[in-house]
Amino acid sequence: MALKNYLFTSESVSEGHPDKMCDQISDAVLDAYLAAYPRSRVACETATKTGFVMLAGEITAPESVKVDYPKIVRRVVNGIGFNHTDTGFDGNTCGVLVAIEEQSPHISQGVTEGEGQYKEQGAGDQGMMFGYAINETPELMPATIQYSHQLMYELAQLRKTRPEWSWLRPDSKSQVTIEYREGKIARVDAVVISTQHAPRAHADICEQVIDGLIKKVIPAHLLDDNTHYFVNPTGKFEIGGPMGDSGLTGRKIIVDTYGGHGAHGGGAFSGKDPSKVDRSAAYVGRYIAKNLVASGACDRALVQLAYAIGVADPVSVNVETFGTAHVDEDKLNACIREIFPVKPAQLIRHLDLLRPIYQKTAAYGHFGRNDPDFTWERTDLAGDVKSFLGL
């Protein structure tokens, strides 16, 4: 039996967190290749520590495509706000190391249409991917992760636009704990904000963050006298970014997705072109789950897709509604197969994924975003779901 009364916590990190910095650099490299040649095959990883950024991976594109890696790295890092040694990292002077080769031809032949054992474009790797949606927020996202992202996004806007917040530095983390009663949101029990800062009194930081950020982002009716606030709970956070911690692409996969709700197949997103189903099938999984919930077929949906490398058809498709379905779940599985594109070539085309849109996905979550480029957030097939299910 599922718990009805419980606490649940999710975290987010800012664009200046070292791991997120690496995700954005990897996706900026991907965008540069897709802008020049949409069929580029890109698997770009980034690592960073004090004073340097390293790119590694496999990339295949025509010889005519030239990408300036150091220029991309410096643009991203400076744009985040690490543009001076006072912040602990300087995108203008950091070292940039590059170790990139071509994609293995044995992988390429299975992914390229007509070259492998099967005629259709196959999946870029084996594995399972999950999509999730729940009707507890307008975005059909879990509230714990949605509020955590909003706190980080708003903190960055304050840092970039408000002089009275100029003491902020780019590296930050948030955490939101919600109390559920009878399976529904009752209140926010705890909020944690840890943010890099210039020298400043801890009490002043606490007051400004609680009053000027937390109480403006979290709905007032969810806060009460028993809500706990933890702001820079170690007392000081002046050393941040790559100087305070190393960074690596793909190390914040739960932040990228649903904050621990639902499930995760384990594959990271950033730096991977859409032929990699780690990314594209997770996007279509979210698209399916969101349309199922938006249609009223269920209140909560976890969609799993699984693939074999080089094979177009998924080896399995399944939906779990946790007892919230308003129709037979066998019908929901049939609905997915009938209505939604789940083969790699189909879903890439349907969601228009061969575009340079990915750098902005790499901070503040890949899901629950109100942006027309996030095509997997559309609910344009909810009507078709209703018709198929007779709702």
Side-chain angles (χ1 to χ4, degrees), residues 6 106 117 122 155 168 177 189 239 247 316 346 362 371 377:
Y6 58 94
H106 299 160
Q117 294 195 72
L155 191 66
L168 286 168
T177 300
D189 187 71
I239 300 171
S316 68
Q346 292 176 343
D371 185 312
E377 290 297 309

Side-chain angles (χ1 to χ4, degrees), residues 322-386:
F322 307 93
T324 70
H326 305 296
V327 297
D328 188 280
E329 286 198 355
D330 288 338
K331 280 190 173 183
L332 288 179
N333 279 303
C335 176
I336 293 172
R337 287 284 195 175
E338 179 68 25
I339 292 174
F340 293 95
V342 292
K343 295 181 178 182
Q346 292 176 343
L347 69 89
I348 289 169
R349 183 168 55 251
H350 185 85
L351 296 178
D352 196 14
L353 296 181
L354 295 175
R355 296 174 294 137
I357 59 171
Y358 295 102
Q359 183 185 340
K360 60 184 174 181
T361 69
Y364 312 115
H366 292 246
F367 308 125
R369 306 275 292 275
N370 183 21
D371 185 312
D373 284 333
F374 288 55
T375 52
W376 49 93
E377 290 297 309
R378 299 182 311 207
T379 54
D380 55 320
L381 292 185
D384 292 349
V385 171
K386 286 184 178 181

Side-chain angles (χ1 to χ4, degrees), residues 43-297:
C44 179
E45 312 287 343
T46 304
T48 185
K49 187 51 184 160
T50 307
F52 81 91
V53 171
M54 180 177 181
L55 304 180
E58 301 78 43
I59 297 177
T60 300
E63 290 186 4
S64 59
V65 176
K66 305 297 181 184
V67 169
D68 188 334
Y69 297 117
K71 185 176 181 180
I72 291 172
V73 169
R74 299 187 195 287
R75 173 179 58 79
V76 173
V77 174
N78 286 328
I80 289 169
F82 286 120
N83 54 11
H84 195 278
T85 53
D86 286 350
T87 66
F89 198 89
D90 188 352
N92 299 296
T93 60
C94 67
V96 179
L97 293 75
V98 179
I100 290 176
E101 299 176 351
E102 289 191 347
Q103 183 184 57
S104 163
H106 299 160
I107 296 175
S108 178
Q109 71 182 14
V111 179
T112 302
E113 184 176 353
E115 290 189 8
Q117 294 195 72
Y118 303 90
K119 291 183 179 180
E120 293 182 89
Q121 176 179 338
D125 202 351
Q126 71 177 50
M128 65 282 192
M129 301 84 207
F130 291 91
Y132 184 74
I134 186 169
N135 63 2
E136 65 183 28
T137 63
E139 299 84 4
L140 303 185
M141 285 286 287
T144 52
I145 188 67
Q146 197 68 14
Y147 292 143
S148 295
H149 285 324
Q150 289 172 4
L151 287 165
M152 288 290 88
Y153 179 81
E154 183 61 26
L155 191 66
Q157 301 315 301
L158 293 170
R159 171 173 60 87
K160 294 175 179 179
T161 64
R162 300 283 288 274
E164 64 270 30
W165 293 83
S166 61
W167 52 270
L168 286 168
R169 296 292 181 261
D171 189 1
S172 305
K173 299 179 77 171
S174 64
Q175 191 169 283
V176 175
T177 300
I178 286 180
E179 180 182 345
Y180 288 80
R181 297 177 191 155
E182 296 297 316
K184 302 295 183 181
I185 296 172
R187 55 184 290 276
V188 170
D189 187 71
V191 181
V192 182
I193 298 289
S194 294
T195 183
Q196 185 190 5
H197 60 90
R200 185 176 176 84
H202 182 250
D204 293 340
I205 292 174
C206 291
E207 181 180 5
Q208 193 166 345
V209 167
I210 292 171
D211 293 337
L213 173 70
I214 296 173
K215 290 185 176 179
K216 291 188 176 179
V217 170
I218 305 296
H221 71 276
L222 295 179
L223 301 173
D224 58 32
D225 292 341
N226 294 316
T227 299
H228 306 283
Y229 302 100
F230 302 95
V231 178
N232 284 7
T234 68
K236 184 179 288 188
F237 186 3
E238 293 181 11
I239 300 171
M243 187 176 181
D245 192 7
S246 60
L248 188 66
T249 298
R251 209 156 55 177
K252 286 292 176 286
I253 59 176
I254 300 303
V255 171
D256 285 342
T257 52
Y258 308 104
H261 296 264
H264 198 295
F269 299 160
S270 291
K272 297 178 181 178
D273 74 85
S275 73
K276 281 75 170 172
V277 285
D278 276 348
R279 179 171 220 157
S280 56
Y283 286 1
V284 85
R286 162 65 176 171
Y287 179 62
I288 295 167
K290 189 172 183 181
N291 275 270
L292 292 179
V293 173
S295 75

